[in-house]
Amino acid sequence: MECFSITGQRHTAACVQNQDAICKKQSILGHAAALADGVSSCRCARDGAQQTVRVLAEILACYGDRLTSMTPQDAARCLIEHVSFHLQRLSEKEGKPVKEYASTMMGAFWQAGGDTLLTCNLGDGVILGVGEHGCKVLSCPANTADGCPATVTKNAATLTHVKVEDKSLFDYVVLLSDGAWPFLIEKNGKLRADICAWFQAGKTGMVADLLRDRNPEDDCSFVLLKRPAQKEKG
């Protein structure tokens, strides 16, 4: 896994730490990665994002095989229930309302052997699939009448997009925060050709340099998760 994250101008000026969080986990079942973006209006946004990625990456790595066999709706419910449980425990420990720990969240699990890919997305992030034949948006930002959904949103499970590909043709999956993807995706919804080529070649440093040069207002992060080596047939 390769990742990149910088604090946006707005938070730097206010002496606020980066509220994006990234976590990776690996098990005998496969490889997992998670990215969360703390809701800036919440007092504990950074802590909430960090707790969310720890829990999400853990459950993906340890139970990814079970999640891939569920319906997308049941998998989303399972993920949200686990994240909500641990956010509630953190809330009780710190003595602060759970709503102060809100964040968006994205995750990916690649089963050992590289055949099956599961992705989940709650909020305003973008998930990409990158392969030899191009790049594809697997999950788009979601908004409701009440704004961007987050981990503490009512009915968060029904707003979480889960997708499973049994015979994935991608070499990488990329999680992009809302601070990153507007610089990389064109108005027609497609990834810029040069960015796609960089991701295809694994040149994440060039993508990071581009984002750093843009000096973004918002915290800006991405995670690239490589497909595990395929099992040899025999």
Side-chain angles (χ1 to χ4, degrees), residues 4-8 11 16-23 34-40 45-50 53 103-104 106 124 175-180 216 218-223:
F4 168 81
S5 187
I6 57 171
T7 306
H11 285 158
V16 174
Q17 290 180 299
N18 190 335
Q19 294 177 338
D20 288 354
I22 294 169
C23 186
L35 191 159
D37 178 1
V39 176
S40 295
R46 178 179 169 85
D47 292 339
Q50 292 178 336
V53 294
S103 74
T104 65
M106 290 180 285
D124 52 10
L175 313 180
L176 299 169
S177 74
D178 71 317
D218 194 9
D219 298 337
C220 183
S221 307
F222 71 78
V223 181

Side-chain angles (χ1 to χ4, degrees), residues 67-89:
L67 292 166
T68 58
S69 66
M70 296 179 182
T71 66
Q73 295 80 8
D74 286 343
R77 189 178 304 112
C78 180
L79 292 170
I80 290 297
E81 285 178 356
H82 276 76
V83 169
S84 297
F85 173 77
H86 286 278
L87 288 177
Q88 185 62 47
R89 288 186 63 183

Side-chain angles (χ1 to χ4, degrees), residues 66 120 180 232:
R66 298 185 193 179
C120 64
E232 293 185 7

Side-chain angles (χ1 to χ4, degrees), residues 10 13 18 50 59 100 104 131 142 150 185 214 217 221 225 233:
R10 188 170 66 251
N18 190 335
Q50 292 178 336
I59 189 172
E100 298 295 342
T104 65
I185 295 178
R214 293 296 184 273
E217 284 286 324
S221 307
L225 185 65
K233 296 180 180 180

Side-chain angles (χ1 to χ4, degrees), residues 56 83 92 193 224 232:
L56 182 57
V83 169
E92 293 170 359
L224 180 143
E232 293 185 7

Side-chain angles (χ1 to χ4, degrees), residues 191-206:
L191 189 69
R192 284 173 39 179
D194 56 341
I195 303 299
C196 180
W198 290 345
F199 277 136
Q200 285 176 309
K203 296 180 179 179
T204 54
M206 297 185 74

